[in-house]
Amino acid sequence: MPFYIGIHNGLCYGVFFDNTHKAYFNFGASNNRFSSFGADAGEMNYYLIHGNSVSEIIKQYTDLTGRMELPPRWSIGYQQCRYSYYPDKEVFTIAKTFREKDIPADAIVFDIHYMDKYKIFTWDQERFSDPKGLMQTLKDQGFHAVVMCDPGIKVEPGYETYDAGVKNDIFLKYPDGENYQGQVWPGWCHFPDFTNPKARAWWATKFQDYVNLGVDGFWNDMNEIATWGNALPENLEFDFEGNKATMRRGRNVYGFQMARSTYEGTKKLLKGKRPFNLTRSGFSGIQRYSAVWTGDNVAYDEHMLLGVRLVNSMGLTGVAFAGYDAGGFVGESNPKLFARWMSIASLSPFFRAHTMINTRDSEPWSYGEEVESICRNYIKFRYQLLPYIYSLFYDAAKRGMPVQRSLAIDYTHDHRVYNNLYHNQYLLGPSILVAPAESNQQLLKIFFPSGNWYDLYSGKVWAGNQETIVESPIHKLPVFIKAGSVLPMQHSAAHTGVKQDELILHIYCGNEASDFLLYLDDGETFDYQSGKSSTRLIQMNGFENKVTISASEGDFTSSYTKIKIVLHGSPADKILVNGHSLALTHHVHSFFSPLEKYDPINEPDSMGEENVRETSTEYTVEKIELSWS
Ligand code: GLC
């Protein structure tokens, strides 16, 4: 992404360099007197973005490069992946185990072994003799399937996709007209020239069989283009939308255009249902077509934290739907590392565990009972947070705001945000502060930005504007909620498709005012684009202990019929909700209950009770609606 945000002297600006050649950015030039940027070739076509805040710059940058459409809701649930699950029996077992063990999950990912000799758009008949039946069984259990899509097409006369590609003349070529060959999973391959509209249109139709089977998730990989042992020759010709260009101009948008073609094609084929699209390679604007993951990491603490920072950066460059291989791809994870990685990833935008071929099993239950409980807790917490997280995706679609937010967005001019000690910290949306710790770390030095912060587990309130040390045992990732905020939540469920009737508003009292826009729609179609959605502004006035929930705007009726209110740290015994004075009568268990100390027989299920109080009254939505009008 040739884009950066500069922050100097209390001011900020953005520079987007709209040039697809190899580019250079130098931030250390001339003793900090200036920075410079340039490219190997092409035009110095750049935009200088002025804005009064980092979020304003992100908004303007995404005005220019585009924003995401809403992803299918299931895709922000938990996705289980490995290289690769096969044969079909193994997939059945994995799916069943999630349900038996009461661990929520929404997707199982099919890596390259589902294909016949890694040939795209085929199925290995022996390993997967009945893909249609398999997909139906998954669907019956509430799972979606995501399939691997590599751009390399095996050179093999008689293989339908190869023959059609040659016939349609859509492959990348040398200047003498010969199709380029590179080696990747299937052996020698040709590669569609995705910078050619004709190739994109062809590729876009190829997903019909997958869609017929019921697949609605697509994973674009190896699209840098990656080939074994050699770089792409510089003299390769790219169509570049009819403006013939060499590889030097075309390469950086190859993955972007592949993801675009996959998205546009599957969107059309799914006839109104939202596809989930994931890519490894992209360019500025990739958010319009795909989620992005950070590629092959290694099972080390360093890579776990690096992934967090990469996702923070991607958020600053317009990519709100981003994530990393939780658990670590290359090498062997270990119980603590896996547990920590899963707990952090449960609070990231794209949540998927993945591991490489020939590594140990890496499912939430593969590392013993304690790790299983930790994973279950955090996955469930994510599912409880779904109304909040889904609303953050709406904010990304609307304004380009990232889901996972670098502290530089809200606390731009506090120099402590740029201290290496704190650069792994981020905010999930406006209210949840996450402070990732290494797997063996028991104590973590963290920075609390201004405001007050509730400990997620104990309810203890930390004063902001300070650097301090907090505990970070393996079952408790340091997570804090900003005082004065409202978290819309629901009950955890086996998957995101389970209809819920109760919306739970967690109100964190504090002397601050805040707004949160709750967004709801059907989670699976594009009907929201023609008004079938519901937004409600939830306003919290901490000074007066007053909450106002606006009437729903839009043409969507959600399945919620009740609202439950849970107050955290209320100084008073009453709270005003839409003019109703609600008395606080009894204490409830904390909504989140990580294990204080692992005890399989007697799991403590409540913490910080003194800080959590619930109103005794439950209002139906209709009842409150009346008072809103
Ligand atoms: C690449 C991908 C990885 C995948 C593997 C096999 O290395 O980055 O996620 O598992 O290819 O398809």
Side-chain angles (χ1 to χ4, degrees):
M1 316 281 177
F3 170 64
Y4 74 92
I5 297 173
I7 296 162
H8 312 282
N9 304 75
L11 299 169
C12 48
Y13 63 91
V15 171
F16 170 44
F17 184 26
D18 189 6
N19 183 324
T20 64
H21 289 84
K22 187 175 193 173
Y24 307 91
F25 290 80
N26 189 337
F27 298 106
S30 190
N31 296 325
N32 292 339
R33 269 197 56 204
F34 56 83
S35 302
S36 64
F37 60 93
D40 274 358
E43 292 167 8
M44 282 308 290
N45 182 14
Y46 65 93
Y47 298 79
L48 176 66
I49 302 174
H50 167 71
N52 288 328
S53 63
V54 170
S55 50
E56 174 60 25
I57 289 164
I58 297 173
K59 184 173 168 297
Q60 290 193 38
Y61 169 73
T62 52
D63 273 345
L64 265 176
T65 59
R67 306 204 171 102
M68 67 185 300
E69 295 190 287
L70 278 168
R73 191 175 41 213
W74 65 262
S75 67
I76 61 176
Y78 175 63
Q79 303 194 20
Q80 183 65 49
C81 187
R82 90 156 289 135
Y83 166 21
S84 309
Y85 288 122
Y86 70 89
D88 45 10
K89 278 192 208 61
E90 188 171 359
V91 178
F92 290 132
T93 309
I94 297 286
K96 203 161 117 258
T97 311
F98 273 104
R99 298 302 178 238
E100 280 172 4
K101 288 189 171 287
D102 185 27
I103 299 176
D106 269 77
I108 298 199
V109 185
F110 292 75
D111 204 331
I112 50 175
H113 286 91
Y114 78 86
M115 296 180 245
D116 172 25
K117 303 193 182 67
Y118 309 137
K119 287 185 283 187
I120 182 72
F121 307 120
T122 67
W123 285 83
D124 182 310
Q125 299 293 326
E126 250 173 61
R127 292 172 180 153
F128 296 95
S129 57
D130 177 19
K132 180 117 198 158
L134 169 66
M135 294 304 153
Q136 189 56 48
T137 310
L138 289 181
K139 194 173 168 204
D140 294 344
Q141 295 175 11
F143 283 99
H144 290 255
V146 180
V147 295
M148 169 57 85
C149 310
D150 285 322
I153 293 174
K154 187 174 175 62
V155 175
E156 186 182 274
Y159 160 40
E160 198 274 328
T161 304
Y162 169 78
D163 290 341
V166 172
K167 190 164 145 244
N168 288 294
D169 192 24
I170 48 84
F171 292 126
L172 280 177
K173 290 183 181 25
Y174 286 107
D176 64 4
E178 189 185 316
N179 287 333
Y180 162 68
Q181 289 196 25
Q183 272 193 307
V184 66
W185 303 118
W188 289 104
C189 289
H190 290 332
F191 299 83
D193 178 1
F194 289 107
T195 69
N196 182 346
K198 192 171 95 175
R200 286 202 299 272
W202 172 79
W203 177 263
T205 61
K206 296 293 295 175
F207 293 86
Q208 185 69 63
D209 289 351
Y210 289 145
V211 168
N212 291 347
L213 292 173
V215 175
D216 52 2
F218 307 91
W219 180 12
N220 305 258
D221 189 23
M222 310 295 279
N223 51 354
E224 292 78 15
I225 304 168
T227 52
W228 302 156
N230 50 35
L232 225 48
E234 288 211 343
N235 61 350
L236 284 192
E237 272 190 356
F238 283 65
D239 180 76
F240 217 89
E241 314 300 311
N243 306 298
K244 289 257 178 293
T246 66
M247 170 281 215
R248 294 168 71 222
R249 188 175 184 203
R251 178 188 182 266
N252 280 343
V253 288
Y254 185 87
F256 171 101
Q257 297 291 11
M258 176 189 177
R260 171 185 179 181
S261 170
T262 305
Y263 185 69
E264 289 177 343
T266 54
K267 183 177 171 184
K268 205 161 157 199
L269 293 168
L270 282 163
K271 299 204 168 74
K273 259 177 67 193
R274 302 176 206 167
F276 166 65
N277 207 28
L278 179 68
T279 185
R280 193 169 78 174
S281 174
F283 191 75
S284 288
I286 187 65
Q287 64 272 11
R288 301 205 296 277
Y289 305 116
S290 189
V292 180
W293 104 107
T294 61
D296 302 348
N297 56 16
V298 183
Y300 295 143
D301 277 292
E302 291 82 351
H303 271 201
M304 175 175 75
L305 298 177
L306 174 63
V308 169
R309 298 197 295 278
L310 283 168
V311 172
N312 282 349
S313 295
M314 280 201 275
L316 292 167
T317 51
V319 184
F321 200 2
Y324 35 78
D325 288 342
F329 179 69
V330 176
E332 302 272 307
S333 206
N334 62 61
K336 278 201 169 154
L337 183 61
F338 189 80
R340 186 70 102 198
W341 216 322
M342 288 288 284
S343 48
I344 302 171
S346 72
L347 299 169
S348 78
F350 169 61
F351 181 23
R352 186 188 76 166
H354 186 31
T355 186
M356 195 171 161
I357 193 168
N358 295 332
T359 55
R360 63 176 292 175
D361 288 352
S362 275
E363 291 78 40
W365 52 83
S366 311
Y367 292 86
E369 287 181 28
E370 179 172 8
V371 175
E372 182 181 322
S373 295
I374 293 170
C375 292
R376 182 185 295 103
N377 271 336
Y378 283 95
I379 297 177
K380 284 193 168 183
F381 182 46
R382 182 184 183 89
Y383 278 70
Q384 287 173 270
L385 279 173
L386 200 70
Y388 175 75
I389 297 179
Y390 193 59
S391 301
L392 300 180
F393 275 90
Y394 173 71
D395 203 12
K398 203 76 190 151
R399 292 194 300 151
M401 274 303 276
V403 171
Q404 174 169 327
R405 301 178 184 174
S406 154
L407 297 188
I409 298 178
D410 283 354
Y411 306 97
T412 314
H413 301 297
D414 189 322
H415 66 95
R416 290 167 291 190
V417 161
Y418 307 98
N419 185 332
N420 284 358
L421 272 180
Y422 312 123
H423 64 173
N424 302 314
Q425 286 183 223
Y426 63 89
L427 280 158
L428 180 69
S431 313
I432 304 181
L433 178 67
V434 183
E438 289 189 1
S439 53
N440 281 312
Q441 219 168 341
Q442 296 289 327
L443 295 170
L444 179 69
K445 185 153 187 214
I446 75 167
F447 166 57
F448 283 113
S450 60
N452 287 320
W453 300 88
Y454 283 83
D455 180 304
L456 174 68
Y457 315 99
S458 68
K460 172 180 171 168
V461 179
W462 293 85
N465 234 333
Q466 64 159 328
E467 296 156 272
T468 190
I469 290 176
V470 299
E471 289 185 353
S472 54
I474 193 62
H475 61 290
K476 276 194 202 170
L477 178 71
V479 177
F480 307 88
I481 316 294
K482 191 167 187 177
S485 51
V486 179
L487 293 184
M489 296 176 64
Q490 62 182 21
H491 296 283
S492 176
H495 56 90
T496 60
V498 176
K499 291 254 179 292
Q500 308 242 349
D501 63 355
E502 187 166 75
L503 181 75
I504 306 166
L505 293 183
H506 283 270
I507 297 175
Y508 287 84
C509 300
N511 289 335
E512 308 225 4
S514 73
D515 286 350
F516 188 81
L517 195 67
L518 173 67
Y519 175 82
L520 302 162
D521 65 18
D522 66 22
E524 56 183 18
T525 74
F526 287 94
D527 291 354
Y528 73 93
Q529 292 176 346
S530 48
K532 285 218 167 357
S533 63
S534 157
T535 48
R536 289 179 194 273
L537 189 65
I538 304 175
Q539 288 171 299
M540 164 87 192
N541 180 337
F543 303 102
E544 295 173 26
N545 240 12
K546 200 164 117 187
V547 177
T548 315
I549 311 166
S550 78
S552 164
E553 277 183 28
D555 191 15
F556 175 75
T557 312
S558 82
S559 60
Y560 298 125
T561 55
K562 293 183 273 184
I563 297 179
K564 178 153 131 190
I565 293 178
V566 180
L567 279 186
H568 299 258
S570 170
D573 279 341
K574 282 193 172 55
I575 182 153
L576 267 183
V577 180
N578 284 14
H580 298 265
S581 173
L582 304 187
L584 305 175
T585 53
H586 64 273
H587 293 200
V588 288
H589 292 322
S590 167
F591 66 93
F592 184 58
S593 53
L595 308 177
E596 187 61 274
K597 189 167 168 292
Y598 178 64
D599 174 357
I601 298 169
N602 188 17
E603 288 181 9
D605 62 358
S606 96
M607 299 177 61
E609 275 185 51
E610 72 278 10
N611 293 296
V612 185
R613 290 193 286 177
E614 183 194 31
T615 64
S616 59
T617 331
E618 284 179 358
Y619 284 88
T620 65
V621 170
E622 285 75 14
K623 209 163 162 190
I624 291 185
E625 290 274 11
L626 286 177
S627 65
W628 288 344
S629 57

